[in-house]
Amino acid sequence: MAKDKKLVEAITSMEDDFAQWYTDVVKKADLMDYTSVKGCMVLKPAGYALWENIQKEADARFKATGVENVYLPMFIPESLLQKEKDHVEGFAPEVAWVTHGGLEPLQERLCVRPTSETLFCDFYAKEIQSYRDLPKVYNQWCSVVRWEKETRPFLRSREFLWQEGHTAHATAEEAEERTELMLNLYADFCEEVLAIPVIRGRKTEKEKFAGAEATYTIEALMHDGKALQSGTSHNFGDGFAKAFNIQYTDKDNKLQYVHQTSWGISTRLIGGIIMVHGDNSGLVLPPRIAPVQVMIIPIAQHKEGVLETAAKLKEALADFRVKVDDSEKSPGWKFSEAEMRGIPVRIEIGPKDIEANQAVIVRRDTREKQIVSLDELKAQVANTLETMQKDMLERARAHRDKHTYIAKNYEEFKETVAHKPGFVKAMWCGDQACEDKIKEETTATARCMPFEQEKISDVCVCCGKPAKAMVYWGKAY
Amino acid sequence: MAKDKKLVEAITSMEDDFAQWYTDVVKKADLMDYTSVKGCMVLKPAGYALWENIQKEADARFKATGVENVYLPMFIPESLLQKEKDHVEGFAPEVAWVTHGGLEPLQERLCVRPTSETLFCDFYAKEIQSYRDLPKVYNQWCSVVRWEKETRPFLRSREFLWQEGHTAHATAEEAEERTELMLNLYADFCEEVLAIPVIRGRKTEKEKFAGAEATYTIEALMHDGKALQSGTSHNFGDGFAKAFNIQYTDKDNKLQYVHQTSWGISTRLIGGIIMVHGDNSGLVLPPRIAPVQVMIIPIAQHKEGVLETAAKLKEALADFRVKVDDSEKSPGWKFSEAEMRGIPVRIEIGPKDIEANQAVIVRRDTREKQIVSLDELKAQVANTLETMQKDMLERARAHRDKHTYIAKNYEEFKETVAHKPGFVKAMWCGDQACEDKIKEETTATARCMPFEQEKISDVCVCCGKPAKAMVYWGKAY
């Protein structure tokens, strides 16, 4: 490995400086680049291909639950943004304003959507008249803008790509069902496709979405012990419906307000993939999401038959996303590049291998090498990809569990947050004063009240009053 | 038909008022809706599904030629937009300006991208150093904003969805090759997938893209005899490279400027599909792009076995995009709705059909009915969809050819433009003065100089001087 490492520019070791390691990886794995506009990035082919695969997998899952895709404008008139009080308070401080169209000043300024609740409400108010028009289960894939002061690639940028689902239902029960359905869909998607284990739970009042009655969240633990909010699903009740007057006539010919939800995941998930699976040689991509699953690297490719055999192997492996690196670089360099880019499996094939009717398979995550007969290559690659996918989830789960602590009193809590990066499970009275105090004194925030509650003690870890819920606490991105 | 027509709200007949017919169809086929922001529309599920299918088909074709997808920011700093003189002159008057981020005024205002040449150039200037970095063949699917005064759904809106490819090459020849490759790809896509025949040609200097050396275009003829520019491909030569200083070191270690191209198609194509194929009962969708290809409509669905058989047929037809309309509306209403939405094939199945082991297949374009044995249903549906796809292209081609005229002198030209909606083929001297005069006196513009040139006469149709090229002229959207 030492020799390989010299071949590509070394990246900072994550033990030395996790933040720098992250920045190095996103750059050197060629996922993104910075631009002249602060906080706005270029998603390069390797980064965008990850997003395309996320879109494809998630979109199919959405559609299987009846979601239909639409596209709404990127501009929101200021008066529309202001219709729901909590919502505008939450977003107005961080939106970008368009004030001129062409050479003329606009009569009313427009914000570039930070999220599209208000637009969907405006649309639904016209679309929905009768119970026959319900439910509406719409989603859009688009970019949104939030004028953040501090930005980091994928984790927090001024413009980012996401999907936002917005639904309207006849009853509160149906809206609640959809909110939970999508949260669980996100969680399953993260675990099955991205190999990222998540805690499913509910946000506290303090942490919930601006305008929501309830926000559900999936929280993942990164390699450095910090939490990443990885997807959220909101139940709005009829709050937006009342602000925007979205009413329908029910079967008894009575006017009723609709009940609404919204839910989203974003390119932030790419940050999660990096920080859950990456190592000191770069990215490690779960096979199911990897744009290139198998890289065939010819050894001594100038020798007769090597490139031809590599091409034949590529054809034999056409069921997978496979490439041959027949560039003029050295094999060692190519190994390191494939590692840096996180390609799950590399296959080495040279003249001696061809003679022996075999190839070498190397797994990216464990670096385990296997000599495989060419006749069994396809089966073995399939097997390796599948095993790697499972192992990555299990490894991430083990890491998370190992870094999940319990605190029974405030001393323990502070001690743990200060010295043991990870989740802390502790009881809470439900009072925001305690949440505020904890945040101020430890910088940890309430990540969520998990659906799977445990009773750690009877009293709040902070104030000692009777506890209402067990909470996952942690420092977060 | 008379009876069916009463069932859905009548649309204006296209012979009476084509513009109103168009507006009626886009609304009643449920493709889009207007919003509070003038010129910005909602793409509803039926409209967005068309765009998804266009994306899917076109994207696969792009990737087969080596295109990689990326995503660049939506904001362009004013100083960046101004780097290429012709380009800024072309676009500055119609861009939307962001002047505030959050509560602060910006130091430099940002325009919302009307197109992304300048951003790609800024990016390529950093990315490209050596001949080894070339070619770059990148594309993005995104929305763009142009502050148009007059807007029409799909044809001209302030925000619209499109793809924009941007490439950089080592040589002028390679850039020219890519420019033509993409133009031909667009043309084939329109003909094979959208059943829209197009003229492939080159734009005049007056009509070319701001900053381009050459613009190639595909021009389609709408049902009303007006032209629709349906896709363009631009060769920039090294003009942008010089403005943005995009240089690479060649194999001899010499600094060279890159040669660039860009090319795009947009949701405008949906307008084209409507205006080429639609009729007085609504939309007619080419099977290859139709979100729903087959609608099964049960007759007397309350009777035993009808809905069960419809569901079985749906399963048997799972190779197609198929739905059952089991809503509570009458069959006649459902027929009209399926017609309005342009669904290529409807299948009627009722108790008598079930008894006779048959179903009725109706083609949307010709309304031809066929009684088909259920055992042959799948084969017959496949056959009908294929035949319909071919017939639609041939019908559109016949319509276009019938409305393509030849003018040998200016009197003929003016007479034709005034009274015969369609393309006029006529010779041109190459002088912009003639082009300007023709536009002013007839409102016709030079649509393109077709790649397949014909010699109609030796002299310019306008000034009588020696002709340089045969031009397709027409009134355009």
Side-chain angles (χ1 to χ4, degrees):
Chain A
M1 280 316 302
K3 194 184 151 210
D4 288 358
K5 269 200 184 158
K6 281 183 218 148
L7 292 171
V8 289
E9 255 179 290
I11 55 174
T12 307
S13 126
M14 62 165 79
E15 291 75 17
D16 291 346
D17 184 344
F18 193 81
Q20 190 58 47
W21 167 84
Y22 179 80
T23 309
D24 288 353
V25 170
V26 296
K27 282 288 294 173
K28 287 178 186 157
D30 228 14
L31 299 180
M32 58 72 68
D33 202 356
Y34 300 97
T35 71
S36 324
V37 183
K38 180 184 164 0
C40 292
M41 63 178 175
V42 172
L43 276 170
K44 292 173 74 168
Y48 194 79
L50 276 173
W51 184 238
E52 280 185 315
N53 286 349
I54 289 173
Q55 283 190 299
K56 204 170 141 192
E57 288 273 356
D59 198 67
R61 287 169 187 240
F62 295 167
K63 283 177 176 156
T65 74
V67 172
E68 296 182 288
N69 284 337
V70 297
Y71 186 78
L72 268 65
M74 70 157 82
F75 296 127
I76 307 175
E78 186 164 17
S79 56
L80 198 60
L81 187 71
Q82 288 174 338
K83 273 200 171 177
E84 211 284 338
K85 187 179 58 67
D86 293 334
H87 191 70
V88 67
E89 272 174 27
F91 283 103
E94 58 174 37
V95 297
W97 291 104
V98 174
T99 56
H100 286 71
L103 307 171
E104 312 276 322
L106 299 179
Q107 291 197 313
E108 177 180 15
R109 58 182 193 161
L110 306 169
C111 84
V112 182
R113 65 179 160 225
T115 178
S116 303
E117 276 72 14
T118 53
L119 287 166
F120 272 90
C121 284
D122 196 39
F123 172 54
Y124 284 151
K126 287 199 291 176
E127 280 283 296
I128 296 167
Q129 267 101 43
S130 146
Y131 69 92
R132 287 187 200 87
D133 301 324
L134 294 173
K136 294 282 185 210
V137 186
Y138 290 169
N139 172 64
Q140 69 178 358
W141 293 93
C142 62
S143 82
V144 286
V145 169
R146 298 177 187 177
W147 220 252
E148 307 275 2
K149 291 227 165 64
E150 296 297 320
T151 62
R152 297 195 64 192
F154 298 112
L155 301 175
R156 197 172 292 278
S157 52
R158 287 186 170 173
E159 182 188 3
F160 59 91
L161 300 175
W162 80 343
Q163 62 67 219
E164 46 178 329
H166 295 267
T167 72
H169 305 269
T171 65
E173 293 69 33
E174 257 186 60
E176 178 60 20
E177 209 174 288
R178 173 57 68 174
T179 315
E180 291 174 21
L181 175 71
M182 297 315 292
L183 198 275
N184 285 314
L185 186 155
Y186 288 155
D188 294 343
F189 170 77
C190 282
E191 297 186 346
E192 293 165 12
V193 180
L194 308 184
I196 296 178
V198 295
I199 306 293
R200 309 168 192 216
R202 181 177 176 152
K203 287 281 183 196
T204 61
E205 286 299 297
K206 176 184 167 81
E207 299 287 337
K208 75 179 188 186
F209 183 81
E213 268 189 8
T215 290
Y216 300 129
T217 180
I218 50 173
E219 299 283 327
L221 197 69
M222 304 297 102
H223 206 87
D224 64 345
K226 280 169 88 173
L228 187 75
Q229 178 180 306
S230 304
T232 46
S233 185
H234 316 290
N235 187 341
F236 293 120
D238 58 7
F240 275 95
K242 285 178 173 161
F244 285 81
N245 201 29
I246 314 173
Q247 287 184 293
Y248 71 96
T249 315
D250 69 11
K251 287 185 182 172
D252 302 324
N253 217 26
K254 278 187 196 152
L255 268 184
Q256 305 278 3
Y257 286 107
V258 300
H259 291 75
Q260 291 174 271
T261 81
S262 81
W263 24 274
I265 52 174
S266 75
T267 37
R268 190 160 227 235
L269 286 176
I270 296 174
I273 294 170
I274 299 166
M275 292 194 292
V276 167
H277 301 302
D279 66 20
N280 282 335
S281 302
L283 211 54
V284 182
L285 293 175
R288 291 191 62 181
I289 208 74
V292 180
Q293 297 173 309
V294 180
M295 181 65 87
I296 300 170
I297 298 180
I299 313 292
Q301 65 186 33
H302 57 283
K303 295 216 173 148
E304 206 189 316
V306 173
L307 285 176
E308 291 77 355
T309 306
K312 267 185 215 158
L313 295 188
K314 184 184 168 189
E315 216 162 287
L317 298 173
D319 286 355
F320 311 105
R321 297 187 284 269
V322 59
K323 276 194 174 174
V324 175
D325 186 351
D326 56 3
S327 65
E328 284 166 23
K329 301 159 194 161
S330 74
W333 187 284
K334 292 178 187 178
F335 295 167
S336 294
E337 270 198 340
E339 287 191 347
M340 182 70 79
R341 287 162 171 271
I343 295 164
V345 163
R346 80 165 183 255
I347 296 177
E348 307 171 8
I349 181 93
K352 283 181 195 160
D353 300 306
I354 295 170
E355 216 172 300
N357 192 46
Q358 68 183 33
V360 180
I361 295 186
V362 186
R363 252 174 82 159
R364 171 63 182 89
D365 58 338
T366 58
R367 293 203 178 75
E368 192 189 326
K369 284 194 183 202
Q370 253 188 303
I371 296 175
V372 176
S373 154
L374 293 188
D375 308 322
E376 286 163 22
L377 189 65
K378 189 177 163 183
Q380 204 48 57
V381 166
N383 183 43
T384 302
L385 291 172
E386 204 177 310
T387 311
M388 182 171 161
Q389 180 81 30
K390 275 188 210 151
D391 290 353
M392 286 178 74
L393 176 62
E394 285 322 308
R395 205 176 306 123
R397 201 190 299 277
H399 176 269
R400 183 195 66 193
D401 292 349
K402 197 178 151 197
H403 294 87
T404 300
Y405 305 94
I406 286 175
K408 294 196 175 163
N409 59 54
Y410 199 44
E411 279 317 299
E412 256 178 47
F413 186 91
K414 283 194 288 187
E415 182 69 15
T416 309
V417 173
H419 301 295
K420 295 180 177 167
F423 283 133
V424 187
K425 298 196 279 190
M427 303 308 287
W428 177 52
C429 60
D431 193 338
Q432 197 182 311
C434 287
E435 224 181 328
D436 289 340
K437 185 179 169 195
I438 286 173
K439 187 173 180 183
E440 203 191 307
E441 295 182 357
T442 71
T443 76
T445 51
R447 303 316 309 150
C448 68
M449 300 176 279
F451 294 152
E452 287 184 20
Q453 282 282 315
E454 297 164 49
K455 195 175 178 183
I456 290 165
S457 84
D458 290 321
V459 295
C460 176
V461 75
C462 182
C463 68
K465 287 185 194 148
K468 285 206 178 125
M470 190 268 277
V471 169
Y472 273 85
W473 305 85
K475 297 181 183 174
Y477 278 98
Chain B
M1 281 315 302
K3 193 184 152 212
D4 287 358
K5 269 201 185 157
K6 280 181 219 149
L7 293 172
V8 287
E9 254 179 290
I11 55 173
T12 307
S13 128
M14 61 164 80
E15 291 77 16
D16 291 346
D17 183 344
F18 193 81
Q20 189 57 50
W21 167 83
Y22 179 80
T23 308
D24 288 353
V25 170
V26 296
K27 282 287 294 174
K28 286 176 188 159
D30 228 13
L31 300 180
M32 56 73 67
D33 202 355
Y34 300 97
T35 71
S36 323
V37 183
K38 181 184 165 357
C40 292
M41 63 178 175
V42 172
L43 275 170
K44 292 172 74 168
Y48 193 79
L50 276 173
W51 183 239
E52 280 185 314
N53 286 349
I54 289 172
Q55 282 190 299
K56 204 171 141 191
E57 288 271 355
D59 198 66
R61 287 170 187 239
F62 295 167
K63 283 178 176 155
T65 74
V67 172
E68 295 183 289
N69 284 338
V70 297
Y71 185 79
L72 267 65
M74 68 156 80
F75 296 127
I76 308 176
E78 187 165 20
S79 56
L80 198 61
L81 188 70
Q82 288 174 336
K83 274 202 173 177
E84 211 284 340
K85 186 180 60 70
D86 293 336
H87 191 71
V88 66
E89 273 175 23
F91 284 102
E94 58 174 37
V95 296
W97 291 104
V98 174
T99 57
H100 287 70
L103 307 171
E104 310 279 319
L106 299 180
Q107 292 197 313
E108 177 181 14
R109 58 183 192 161
L110 306 170
C111 84
V112 183
R113 67 180 157 223
T115 178
S116 303
E117 275 73 14
T118 53
L119 286 167
F120 272 90
C121 284
D122 196 39
F123 172 52
Y124 283 151
K126 288 198 291 176
E127 280 283 296
I128 296 167
Q129 268 103 43
S130 145
Y131 68 93
R132 287 187 201 87
D133 301 324
L134 295 172
K136 293 281 184 211
V137 185
Y138 290 170
N139 172 65
Q140 68 177 357
W141 293 93
C142 62
S143 84
V144 286
V145 168
R146 297 177 187 177
W147 219 252
E148 307 275 2
K149 293 229 163 64
E150 297 296 320
T151 62
R152 296 194 65 193
F154 298 112
L155 301 176
R156 198 173 292 280
S157 51
R158 287 188 170 172
E159 181 189 4
F160 59 93
L161 300 176
W162 81 344
Q163 62 65 219
E164 48 178 326
H166 295 267
T167 72
H169 305 270
T171 66
E173 293 69 33
E174 257 185 58
E176 177 61 21
E177 210 174 284
R178 174 56 66 174
T179 316
E180 292 175 20
L181 175 71
M182 296 316 291
L183 199 275
N184 285 314
L185 186 155
Y186 288 156
D188 294 344
F189 170 77
C190 281
E191 297 185 345
E192 293 165 12
V193 180
L194 308 184
I196 298 179
V198 295
I199 306 293
R200 307 168 194 218
R202 180 176 175 152
K203 287 281 182 196
T204 61
E205 287 298 297
K206 178 185 165 78
E207 299 285 340
K208 75 180 187 186
F209 183 81
E213 268 188 8
T215 290
Y216 301 129
T217 180
I218 49 172
E219 299 283 326
L221 198 69
M222 304 296 101
H223 206 89
D224 63 346
K226 281 169 89 172
L228 187 75
Q229 177 181 305
S230 304
T232 47
S233 186
H234 316 291
N235 187 340
F236 292 120
D238 57 7
F240 274 95
K242 284 178 174 161
F244 285 81
N245 201 29
I246 315 174
Q247 288 184 294
Y248 70 97
T249 315
D250 70 11
K251 287 184 182 173
D252 302 324
N253 216 26
K254 278 187 196 153
L255 268 183
Q256 305 279 3
Y257 286 107
V258 300
H259 292 75
Q260 291 174 270
T261 81
S262 82
W263 24 273
I265 52 175
S266 74
T267 36
R268 191 162 227 233
L269 286 175
I270 296 174
I273 294 170
I274 299 166
M275 292 195 291
V276 168
H277 300 303
D279 65 20
N280 282 335
S281 302
L283 210 54
V284 182
L285 293 175
R288 291 192 61 182
I289 208 74
V292 180
Q293 297 173 307
V294 179
M295 181 65 88
I296 300 169
I297 298 179
I299 314 291
Q301 66 185 33
H302 56 282
K303 293 213 174 148
E304 204 189 319
V306 174
L307 285 178
E308 290 79 356
T309 307
K312 268 185 213 158
L313 295 189
K314 184 184 168 190
E315 215 161 288
L317 297 174
D319 287 355
F320 312 104
R321 297 186 285 268
V322 58
K323 275 194 173 173
V324 176
D325 185 352
D326 57 3
S327 64
E328 283 166 25
K329 302 159 191 162
S330 73
W333 186 285
K334 292 177 187 177
F335 295 167
S336 294
E337 270 196 342
E339 287 191 345
M340 182 69 81
R341 288 164 171 269
I343 295 163
V345 163
R346 81 165 182 255
I347 295 177
E348 307 170 9
I349 181 90
K352 283 181 196 160
D353 299 306
I354 294 170
E355 215 171 300
N357 192 45
Q358 67 183 35
V360 181
I361 294 186
V362 187
R363 252 175 81 161
R364 171 63 182 87
D365 59 338
T366 58
R367 294 205 179 72
E368 193 189 324
K369 284 194 183 201
Q370 253 189 304
I371 295 174
V372 176
S373 153
L374 294 188
D375 307 323
E376 288 163 21
L377 189 66
K378 189 177 163 183
Q380 204 48 55
V381 166
N383 183 43
T384 303
L385 291 172
E386 203 178 308
T387 312
M388 182 171 161
Q389 180 81 30
K390 277 187 207 151
D391 290 353
M392 287 178 74
L393 176 61
E394 284 322 307
R395 204 177 306 122
R397 201 190 299 278
H399 175 269
R400 182 195 67 191
D401 291 350
K402 196 178 153 198
H403 295 86
T404 300
Y405 305 94
I406 286 174
K408 293 194 176 164
N409 59 54
Y410 200 44
E411 279 316 298
E412 258 178 47
F413 187 92
K414 284 195 288 188
E415 181 70 15
T416 309
V417 173
H419 300 296
K420 293 179 177 167
F423 283 132
V424 187
K425 298 197 280 189
M427 303 307 289
W428 177 52
C429 60
D431 193 339
Q432 196 182 312
C434 287
E435 222 181 330
D436 289 341
K437 185 179 168 194
I438 286 173
K439 187 172 180 184
E440 201 192 311
E441 293 182 359
T442 72
T443 74
T445 49
R447 302 316 310 151
C448 70
M449 301 177 279
F451 294 152
E452 289 184 18
Q453 283 281 313
E454 296 164 48
K455 194 174 177 183
I456 289 164
S457 85
D458 291 321
V459 297
C460 176
V461 75
C462 182
C463 68
K465 286 186 196 151
K468 285 206 179 127
M470 190 268 274
V471 169
Y472 272 85
W473 305 85
K475 297 181 184 173
Y477 279 97

